[in-house]
Amino acid sequence: QSKEVAAWRERQQAIKHAAAEKLQLKYKDTEQWREQQQALKQEAADRQQDRVEVGKWREQQQVLKAAAAEKIVADVAVVQRWREEQQVIKAEAAERRQEVEEA
């Protein structure tokens, strides 16, 4: 009977050992899963940050485009005023020439 008890104890030890290994593997799988989830969360956060930065860049580009358009409009206005002033100067010069010729 002591052989049977010893065999039974060995089987129990083997079962405990197998159960412990199974638990250890489950724990490893769980840890790997958690690490993967953490990596996925970080990747999603990075992508969100990229989207935010792209959005900011687009807003900056819109502001720059608007500023460039305003500058072009202002430059055109300056050139237009200069042309008008040149026309006035030419007209005044023509009047003076005519006055001198008539005098």
Side-chain angles (χ1 to χ4, degrees), residues 42-66:
Q42 185 60 48
E43 189 176 325
D46 291 347
R47 285 186 182 164
Q48 180 61 30
Q49 184 61 33
D50 289 347
R51 282 197 282 287
V52 167
E53 289 175 12
V54 167
K56 287 179 184 176
W57 178 83
R58 285 187 178 145
E59 288 174 12
Q60 289 172 344
Q61 293 304 305
Q62 287 298 102
V63 168
L64 291 173
K65 284 179 186 177

Side-chain angles (χ1 to χ4, degrees), residues 8-31:
W8 180 82
R9 284 187 179 150
E10 282 180 33
R11 280 196 307 273
Q12 292 304 311
Q13 281 299 105
I15 291 170
K16 283 181 185 176
H17 183 70
E21 281 183 1
K22 193 172 183 179
L23 279 175
Q24 196 171 15
L25 288 174
K26 254 188 182 176
Y27 177 76
K28 279 185 180 178
D29 288 346
T30 302
E31 280 302 302

Side-chain angles (χ1 to χ4, degrees), residues 78-93:
V78 167
V79 169
Q80 187 62 34
R81 280 196 300 274
W82 178 82
R83 286 183 179 158
E84 290 169 1
E85 290 170 2
Q86 293 302 308
Q87 290 295 334
V88 169
I89 290 168
K90 284 180 185 176
E92 289 173 355

